[in-house]
Amino acid sequence: MNLILLPASDVPAVNDLNFRHYSGPGDLNAMLAVVIASDAFDGEDNGATLESMTRSYTPSQSFDPFGDTIIAEVAGTMIGYARVRWWSEIDDGPLNFESWGCLMPDWRRCGIGRAMQRWLERRVGEMAAGHAGTRVKQMRGFAGPAQIGRMRLLDQHGYQPIRYSHIMVRPTLKGIPDFPLPDGLELRPAEPEQYRVIWDAANEAFLDHWGADEQTEDDYREWLADPILMQSALWQIAWDQATNQVAGQVRTYINPEENLRYQRQRGFTEFISVARPWRQRGLARALIALSLKAQKAQGMMESELGVDCANISGANRVYEDCGFQVVKTHTIYQKVMP
């Protein structure tokens, strides 16, 4: 077992408590159980599965699960874990070190979360030292509306709220509006030979959005390998007939295991993007309506999406026009590293 020895001042007074590194896929079932229990207590939805966690804990350029993860155990039973990964914003923008963690409800308020957070901060210092140059380096964290302990922990470590994101739900798939496609566009089925073009078009469309990051080949391969996200028969891809370029897209998906876990029939109207020349023409509304109809045809009864509260393209208003309502707001926290 690869134990992590913390400074004595960080170690909580909990009998039989140990911290260790991630040791491989054999940890994932216990990690998934911690996620499900933690999110159920916090009122957070999580579609994580053993398969999705296996992909998430595969080493990549920006994440070494064996070095960037800390696991807490009491008497050999996993009770929590935390991890950090980095990503780079476009045009030599900031390097962001994004941390996340979860802890079984019965073991909160014992100092265990604080101990893991302090380890993450030291780990980020080591990671940042490997990125030479003058780019701004900053740490990010997230909290849902009921995660009071996480909010307090981030506040105590010098983080500030900088942004908010909404979870929006359309509670019924009845009465889906008919928004027509703008002239000059056509829908085409998404074929495998077009996946790269579709991926690149979405990344290009998001370049002027807040926090746009540099997508890597690791990101592309991870996307291709995700069977939940790659439900291309549900995607709505609009092509410009004159230029033969992607004008806009909604990459719809359904997560059957999440629906079973939460006893619902919900689809996801996600990865919504419109190329600059086609904005403000009603294309997003048309594609969203088509996505909702595709979900309804699959037996779904509601739909979800996420949106940046300060989205520059007015997406919040578009989604409201399509019947979505805000059900939850998450806070993004940040602090700039010295």
Side-chain angles (χ1 to χ4, degrees):
M1 183 182 296
N2 193 3
L3 291 176
I4 295 174
L5 300 179
L6 301 181
S9 58
D10 289 353
V11 179
V14 176
N15 292 333
D16 296 321
L17 172 67
N18 284 311
F19 296 95
R20 65 173 177 86
H21 288 289
Y22 173 77
S23 62
D27 284 330
L28 294 176
N29 272 315
M31 293 167 73
L32 179 59
V34 172
V35 170
I36 292 172
S38 176
D39 283 348
F41 185 82
D42 292 334
E44 293 291 307
D45 297 349
N46 195 304
T49 64
L50 184 60
E51 184 179 14
S52 69
M53 293 195 65
T54 300
R55 290 191 301 274
S56 296
Y57 281 80
T58 298
S60 68
Q61 176 185 348
S62 61
F63 178 54
D64 169 20
F66 300 95
D68 302 338
T69 306
I70 182 171
I71 290 173
E73 294 181 327
V74 172
T77 298
M78 189 184 303
I79 61 165
Y81 69 95
R83 58 105 179 102
V84 63
R85 64 186 303 163
W86 67 271
W87 54 276
S88 175
E89 294 188 22
I90 61 171
D91 297 330
D92 293 324
L95 288 173
N96 295 303
F97 296 86
E98 181 181 296
S99 63
W100 180 87
C102 59
L103 189 61
M104 288 286 196
D106 289 346
W107 291 101
R108 298 182 182 185
R109 301 184 183 276
C110 299
I112 297 170
R114 182 177 65 250
M116 292 195 293
Q117 180 65 31
R118 290 181 177 176
W119 181 87
L120 289 175
E121 303 255 338
R122 289 191 292 272
R123 178 58 183 157
V124 167
E126 298 168 356
M127 296 166 71
H131 293 271
T134 59
R135 298 178 70 174
V136 173
K137 299 179 179 69
Q138 53 199 25
M139 295 185 65
R140 289 251 175 99
F142 306 85
Q147 294 175 318
I148 306 302
R150 185 176 297 178
M151 295 180 193
R152 186 178 298 116
L153 184 67
L154 293 171
D155 178 69
Q156 290 171 347
H157 285 80
Y159 291 74
Q160 298 291 327
I162 59 160
R163 203 84 171 188
Y164 301 90
S165 63
H166 288 323
I167 299 297
M168 302 184 74
V169 169
R170 195 180 201 274
T172 176
L173 295 186
K174 297 178 181 179
I176 299 171
D178 287 315
F179 294 124
L181 278 178
D183 292 339
L185 299 182
E186 67 176 2
L187 290 177
R188 300 178 191 170
E191 304 294 345
E193 60 269 21
Q194 298 166 335
Y195 288 168
R196 186 66 196 229
V197 174
I198 292 169
W199 166 266
D200 288 341
N203 293 335
E204 173 69 23
F206 282 120
L207 286 179
D208 51 6
H209 286 229
W210 178 78
D213 58 329
E214 296 175 352
Q215 296 295 304
T216 67
E217 286 302 309
D218 280 342
D219 295 323
Y220 180 63
R221 286 191 291 269
E222 185 176 336
W223 176 64
L224 288 177
D226 191 328
I228 297 297
L229 299 184
M230 295 302 295
Q231 297 178 57
S232 58
L234 299 176
W235 297 355
Q236 308 300 318
I237 314 294
W239 294 78
D240 186 321
Q241 293 171 303
T243 64
N244 200 37
Q245 294 181 330
V246 175
Q249 58 186 282
V250 177
R251 298 204 302 268
T252 314
Y253 67 90
I254 295 168
N255 189 328
E257 188 161 333
E258 180 174 324
N259 281 337
L260 181 63
R261 183 177 298 162
Y262 299 112
Q263 293 297 295
R264 65 191 182 200
Q265 290 299 102
R266 177 180 293 184
F268 287 83
T269 307
E270 281 288 12
F271 306 104
I272 303 165
S273 65
V274 175
R276 293 183 187 89
W278 286 98
R279 292 176 185 172
Q280 308 301 320
R281 302 193 194 184
L283 177 54
R285 287 177 175 83
L287 293 175
I288 290 168
L290 290 166
S291 172
L292 293 172
K293 291 174 182 178
Q295 294 168 60
K296 184 177 181 180
Q298 294 297 312
M300 299 299 104
M301 300 179 68
E302 58 189 48
S303 186
E304 177 182 321
L305 58 79
V307 62
D308 174 16
C309 292
N311 184 287
I312 62 171
S313 64
N316 295 270
R317 184 181 66 256
V318 172
Y319 302 154
E320 288 170 355
D321 289 348
C322 293
F324 286 87
Q325 306 166 7
V326 175
V327 297
K328 192 179 299 181
T329 300
H330 291 90
T331 305
I332 303 170
Y333 290 83
Q334 178 176 288
K335 75 172 177 179
V336 178
M337 300 175 64

